[in-house]
Amino acid sequence: MKRLGWSILLIASMALGQTSQPAHHPLNTPEMAKHFGHGTPPIGPLTDLNHKPFHLKPLKGRWTLLYYWADWCVPCIEEGIPSLTSFVNTHQADKAKFQVVAIRFGSPHENFEWKDFHAKTLKLEKTVWHNVPPFPMVYDESSQMTTAWGIHELPTYALIDPHGNLVRGGNLEVLRTKIDGK
């Protein structure tokens, strides 16, 4: 019986070890890959936390990092949003060089509405992030952008260069390199 107990404990600790490892973060989708070096898939429509249409500032002239996330995605809320917040806060002097937008994944298969996005995002700001992120939190309410960009896994990053073109393999680390010049 003792052996069975230790076996269960070993299996449980191995399972816990596996879940604490860094999650796989998809970099690009086949739909995004079609646009590398020449534009982006369609952007929008997006809705902000005040239930107003959100329009990205012009994509030309600075780097734009899009971060697809969801409130049920543990790596998104525990790692991604805090990392983006830290990056934006430590790069205040470079704010003219980039913008970050967190897009709440919209799936046509999900029974989720703007009011859910609003309530859950405000709750996360209070309980997990302990602040309001210093970048727009928007929702793909119609799922049009999520579908056009081929987002099926979360979190997913998309980086747009200052010429308005999608960058292959773009993510926060690539943006950090471009902004820091390293």
Side-chain angles (χ1 to χ4, degrees), residues 158-169:
L159 183 61
I160 303 166
D161 71 20
H163 303 290
N165 299 314
L166 202 55
V167 176
R168 182 182 315 274

Side-chain angles (χ1 to χ4, degrees), residues 50-107:
N50 296 316
H51 207 211
K52 302 220 184 291
F54 176 83
H55 304 285
L56 278 172
K57 294 177 182 172
L59 294 177
K60 296 194 176 183
R62 62 183 171 166
W63 294 92
T64 300
L65 182 68
L66 304 179
Y67 180 73
Y68 288 91
W69 70 286
D71 50 85
W72 45 260
C73 170
V74 174
C76 298
I77 63 172
E78 290 183 356
E79 299 168 23
I81 299 294
S83 294
L84 292 169
T85 298
S86 176
F87 176 81
V88 171
N89 286 340
T90 59
H91 288 82
Q92 287 297 318
D94 298 311
K95 205 68 164 118
K97 296 179 185 176
F98 73 94
Q99 65 180 331
V100 172
V101 179
I103 302 170
R104 196 323 184 149
F105 173 81
S107 169

Side-chain angles (χ1 to χ4, degrees), residues 4-172:
L4 177 63
W6 283 110
S7 296
I8 291 171
L9 184 60
L10 178 62
I11 291 168
S13 65
M14 286 172 37
L16 287 173
Q18 290 174 350
T19 58
S20 66
Q21 292 175 359
H24 165 70
H25 299 291
L27 293 177
N28 302 131
T29 67
E31 288 82 357
M32 291 164 60
K34 296 174 190 173
H35 297 273
F36 292 149
H38 59 278
T40 69
I43 296 178
L46 298 169
T47 307
D48 69 14
L49 278 169
N50 296 316
H51 207 211
K52 302 220 184 291
F54 176 83
H55 304 285
L56 278 172
K57 294 177 182 172
L59 294 177
K60 296 194 176 183
R62 62 183 171 166
W63 294 92
T64 300
L65 182 68
L66 304 179
Y67 180 73
Y68 288 91
W69 70 286
D71 50 85
W72 45 260
C73 170
V74 174
C76 298
I77 63 172
E78 290 183 356
E79 299 168 23
I81 299 294
S83 294
L84 292 169
T85 298
S86 176
F87 176 81
V88 171
N89 286 340
T90 59
H91 288 82
Q92 287 297 318
D94 298 311
K95 205 68 164 118
K97 296 179 185 176
F98 73 94
Q99 65 180 331
V100 172
V101 179
I103 302 170
R104 196 323 184 149
F105 173 81
S107 169
H109 309 292
E110 200 176 17
N111 186 16
F112 195 82
E113 299 177 358
W114 174 85
K115 65 182 179 184
D116 301 315
F117 161 67
H118 183 263
K120 289 182 178 191
T121 301
L122 293 180
K123 184 177 180 181
L124 287 167
E125 288 175 356
K126 292 177 184 171
T127 61
V128 177
W129 304 323
H130 304 291
N131 62 22
V132 175
F135 45 84
M137 302 289 286
V138 299
Y139 177 42
D140 181 12
E141 195 167 9
S142 70
S143 303
Q144 288 179 4
M145 187 169 170
T146 300
T147 301
W149 286 66
I151 307 302
H152 301 290
E153 292 182 61
L154 296 176
T156 297
Y157 293 91
L159 183 61
I160 303 166
D161 71 20
H163 303 290
N165 299 314
L166 202 55
V167 176
R168 182 182 315 274
N171 61 19
L172 181 58

